[in-house]
Amino acid sequence: MREKFTALSILVEEAFFLQPFRERHIFTPAAKKPPHVTVHSPFKEMEDVNKQVLRELTDLFAFFNQFTYTLKSTGHFADIGVLYLLVEPAEPFQVLSRAIREKYPEIEPYFADPILHVTLARVKDLDSVEKKFYLEFGNQLPIQATAREVCLYEKYDNVWYKRNSFPL
């Protein structure tokens, strides 16, 4: 079943070792998507992503340089039971997000000014899972990472698939 939207995300390759933890503690299709920072969601429906849109995205992201960032502390969205790693600094991601919104003002993101993060868990008992995370991975923090590309993901049959990537 084809979903109604895509998303633009930056994969955090340096955090791929966290994937088994994520799969144990996220019970949504997002668990199968590797660790990432979403810079715009929703984007267009996949059937609306034609050659022109792909060229526009290629040109848009080519304007930006790769950048480094750090994942060093956890945070919570307690109301929805999400444990995450905070992205620092957030500004380069915010600049990308604003550029997408300016290029495609007709596509409103879910959150106008999101807290940029890498989701670790979506559970009811955040404190317990956060303790497990620090026991298992605390000595591997902070994680230094480099944003190299923006990826276009499509959710299809309740699974996220990487459809394109655009180098920074």
Side-chain angles (χ1 to χ4, degrees):
M1 173 175 123
R2 192 167 293 275
E3 299 289 326
K4 293 292 182 187
F5 65 90
T6 57
L8 293 166
S9 301
I10 293 177
L11 295 180
V12 185
E13 294 176 18
E14 297 85 349
F16 280 10
F17 68 93
L18 299 174
Q19 187 61 12
F21 182 88
R22 289 168 37 85
E23 289 180 5
R24 287 193 311 269
H25 299 288
I26 301 174
F27 304 100
T28 68
K32 298 296 182 190
K33 193 173 174 185
H36 63 279
V37 179
T38 298
V39 291
H40 199 285
S41 182
F43 188 57
K44 293 180 173 279
E45 294 183 29
M46 196 64 209
E47 56 267 11
D48 295 332
V49 178
N50 56 29
K51 288 181 182 181
Q52 177 184 339
V53 171
L54 294 174
R55 271 193 310 273
E56 290 170 355
L57 291 171
T58 298
D59 293 345
L60 176 66
F61 296 127
F63 178 76
F64 294 91
N65 293 320
Q66 295 182 5
F67 58 90
T68 58
Y69 57 98
T70 305
L71 305 169
K72 64 180 174 182
S73 60
T74 54
H76 309 103
F77 298 129
D79 56 328
I80 57 172
V82 170
L83 173 68
Y84 60 82
L85 282 170
L86 188 61
V87 174
E88 298 177 27
E91 183 180 356
F93 294 95
Q94 292 165 337
V95 170
L96 280 170
S97 185
R98 281 193 298 271
I100 297 164
R101 288 194 314 263
E102 287 173 13
K103 179 72 178 167
Y104 300 98
E106 71 280 8
I107 306 171
E108 299 240 358
Y110 286 136
F111 304 101
D113 193 20
I115 295 173
L116 296 153
H117 66 280
V118 174
T119 301
L120 296 171
R122 188 157 189 174
V123 295
K124 291 181 181 177
D125 187 3
L126 286 173
D127 290 337
S128 172
V129 171
E130 185 173 30
K131 286 177 187 167
K132 288 178 188 176
F133 174 78
Y134 276 105
L135 283 172
E136 201 169 332
F137 299 107
N139 64 345
Q140 295 178 56
L141 296 179
I143 300 168
Q144 303 295 323
T146 301
R148 296 173 179 84
E149 64 183 9
V150 178
C151 300
L152 175 69
Y153 272 85
E154 176 192 20
K155 192 170 162 190
Y156 185 80
D157 281 342
N158 220 24
V159 177
W160 284 99
Y161 295 96
K162 181 177 165 183
R163 296 300 189 202
N164 294 88
S165 60
F166 311 94
L168 297 174

